[in-house]
Amino acid sequence: MSRSRTGTEVTVHVNRESPDTLEAATTTVSTRGSFVLALRGHESPAHVHCRLADADPSFSRHVSIDQSNYYVEAGETIAVPVGVDAEGIDEPVTGRLEVVTGYGSESVTIDVTVKPKPAAVDVDESLSKPPSRDQSTDRTAAEKVLKRLFGAGGLDAGTLAVLALGLIALAIATATAATIGGLAATFGFVVVAGGVVIALALLIT
């Protein structure tokens, strides 16, 4: 089996060794589209008959041959188009392509499997459109802010984690001071805030 300009090409040699003989280059074809049966003549001319045989009842609805009978001269190659329509099938459809010569005394059979076409993938049209001017402006402004906050200061993931924990500690200390009140609560808030500030200063530097 080889490739031609029209797709897959299946070659059957006619009378290559002796009169009334056929030899298929391959005995199986698996395809989603039409292909060519190449009848290649050798030592002597021959009448060749091509036909389809159903292994699956729907095979003949998806595979077709326009002409059945051919006269192949020695040294001549005849291209027999085999039409394949894979639309509307959900699972492989199988059948046979039979090539006969010598008034039925010699034949070869090629198993044909028609495969379903790949399912189409729906693509959101918005994905193919460039971002709007407002979206681009918002994204650029956000990138600048993030760069100023984290890029310039060299903050890594560990520093950001400490910053988050410090903010949580400050929030708890603030809520405690507001709830309890008094000098002790205020002193505790000052201690927590000072510790957070010192820790961040050490990490950044």
Side-chain angles (χ1 to χ4, degrees):
M1 183 171 58
S2 61
R3 290 279 178 181
S4 67
R5 292 181 181 179
T6 56
T8 302
E9 182 178 283
V10 180
T11 300
V12 173
H13 299 281
V14 180
N15 295 345
R16 181 158 69 170
E17 300 296 336
S18 60
D20 296 335
T21 59
L22 298 172
E23 181 183 348
T26 183
T27 57
T28 59
V29 176
S30 182
T31 182
R32 292 188 176 95
S34 301
F35 63 95
V36 171
L37 172 65
L39 302 176
R40 185 164 299 174
H42 288 274
E43 301 299 329
S44 58
H47 290 278
V48 178
H49 178 74
C50 304
R51 64 193 179 196
L52 299 173
D54 289 349
D56 189 309
S58 62
F59 181 74
S60 59
R61 297 200 301 268
H62 299 282
V63 182
S64 61
I65 298 179
D66 292 337
Q67 182 179 337
S68 298
N69 296 309
Y70 297 88
Y71 184 74
V72 184
E73 294 278 3
E76 178 186 28
T77 298
I78 295 180
V80 181
V82 181
V84 175
D85 181 9
E87 295 292 340
I89 63 174
D90 298 324
E91 56 186 20
V93 176
T94 59
R96 297 188 305 276
L97 171 60
E98 296 180 350
V99 182
V100 183
T101 192
Y103 302 99
S105 62
E106 178 71 11
S107 66
V108 294
T109 299
I110 300 168
D111 294 325
V112 180
T113 300
V114 180
K115 300 182 294 184
K117 289 188 175 181
V121 178
D122 294 330
V123 178
D124 191 342
E125 294 182 359
S126 62
L127 297 178
S128 61
K129 296 179 180 179
S132 64
R133 185 174 181 180
D134 292 340
Q135 291 175 337
S136 300
T137 302
D138 293 343
R139 186 178 62 183
T140 302
E143 290 174 351
K144 289 181 179 179
V145 172
L146 291 174
K147 185 176 181 179
R148 288 178 181 177
L149 288 176
F150 305 130
L155 300 182
D156 56 14
T159 303
L160 294 177
V162 173
L163 176 60
L165 292 174
L167 293 176
I168 294 173
L170 285 175
I172 295 174
T174 302
T176 302
T179 302
I180 299 176
L183 182 59
T186 302
F187 179 75
F189 171 77
V190 172
V191 172
V192 172
V196 171
V197 171
I198 293 173
L200 288 176
L202 292 174
L203 286 172
I204 293 175
T205 57

